[in-house]
Amino acid sequence: MNKTIEDLVVKLSHDPFNPELNFSCAAEYQKLNQTASAVSFYLRAAEFGVDTHQDIVYTSLLKIAECFKDQKDRQWNVTNYLLHAVGYLPNRPEAYFLLSQYFETQGSWQECYTWAQLGINVDHTLNKLPADVGYEHYYCLEFQKAVAGWWVGRKDESKYIFEQLIKYEFISDKYKKAVSSNLERIK
């Protein structure tokens, strides 16, 4: 067993209802690709933190969806936990982004577009989550909207969004390359 996990399990034995310790334990199991164990501890973190640790609960729900996505053939579980996250903290953008990405992978372009649009309209000035879930900045949702817009017949809107995104100085290299690639295809 991993030394870090051993230490966390010992700490948890003294404080089993601590959402932070359960979250940390889940994250360590996820790093080891032991997703069943990770899901178990994320569920505990979400259950025990519901009244006191909103960001941990929300992030746990997103991470559970990520674990199920990694297990393949668990699409219902993926969307279910992402929808739980939206319902729990509807003013945060990350779950909207992940739902939009999920529907992009399914080729469900209208759903991809709609979730991106909904996410664009929430608060983007909130504190950072306790773990990375793949959401960088509000431009991620704009990118999703532009990609999906192309496929749902909003070609002019899509092109316009990509042209605006390429001007952002703060956009990550990963997104800058993806925006450039999409603009080349459009032209």
Side-chain angles (χ1 to χ4, degrees):
M1 186 183 277
N2 179 305
K3 179 71 172 144
T4 305
I5 290 175
E6 285 179 14
D7 293 342
L8 286 168
V9 170
V10 169
K11 288 179 184 177
L12 270 170
S13 70
H14 299 292
D15 192 5
F17 303 110
N18 183 318
E20 293 171 355
L21 287 175
N22 279 284
F23 184 84
S24 295
C25 198
E28 288 301 317
Y29 275 116
Q30 188 177 8
K31 284 180 194 172
L32 297 172
N33 292 319
Q34 295 183 22
T35 54
S37 296
V39 166
S40 176
F41 283 100
Y42 282 132
L43 284 169
R44 290 172 54 87
E47 179 183 356
F48 301 141
V50 74
D51 295 323
T52 58
H53 294 77
Q54 286 188 331
D55 287 348
I56 285 179
V57 172
Y58 181 78
T59 306
S60 292
L61 295 169
L62 300 179
K63 288 297 198 175
I64 291 168
E66 186 178 291
C67 287
F68 282 125
K69 186 178 96 184
D70 292 344
Q71 290 178 3
K72 311 285 187 237
D73 296 325
R74 303 294 295 266
Q75 287 85 1
W76 181 85
N77 295 86
V78 173
T79 56
N80 188 45
Y81 280 99
L82 293 175
L83 290 170
H84 276 302
V86 168
Y88 182 70
L89 290 180
N91 60 325
R92 290 206 65 106
E94 298 87 357
Y96 295 97
F97 168 69
L98 293 172
L99 279 161
S100 180
Q101 269 193 330
Y102 172 78
F103 284 114
E104 178 187 7
T105 65
Q106 303 301 305
S108 299
W109 299 110
Q110 187 59 57
E111 289 86 346
C112 176
Y113 182 91
T114 300
W115 284 108
Q117 179 60 50
L118 289 169
I120 286 169
N121 292 319
V122 301
D123 190 353
H124 294 272
T125 61
L126 299 170
N127 57 313
K128 198 170 179 169
L129 293 176
D132 180 28
V133 295
Y135 176 81
E136 297 175 14
H137 201 272
Y138 72 86
Y139 62 74
C140 296
L141 286 156
E142 292 177 348
F143 177 84
Q144 288 298 122
K145 181 179 175 181
V147 168
W150 176 262
W151 292 99
V152 297
R154 297 173 177 255
K155 294 177 181 178
D156 292 338
E157 177 186 52
S158 176
K159 182 179 176 190
Y160 175 79
I161 294 170
F162 284 132
E163 289 171 343
Q164 297 309 304
L165 287 171
I166 202 70
K167 295 176 187 175
Y168 290 178
E169 293 179 18
F170 53 87
I171 195 169
S172 73
D173 288 340
K174 171 182 144 185
Y175 273 89
K176 191 167 282 211
K177 287 176 188 173
V179 169
S180 294
S181 175
N182 278 285
L183 276 172
E184 286 177 29
R185 281 190 214 128
I186 288 173
K187 292 175 183 174

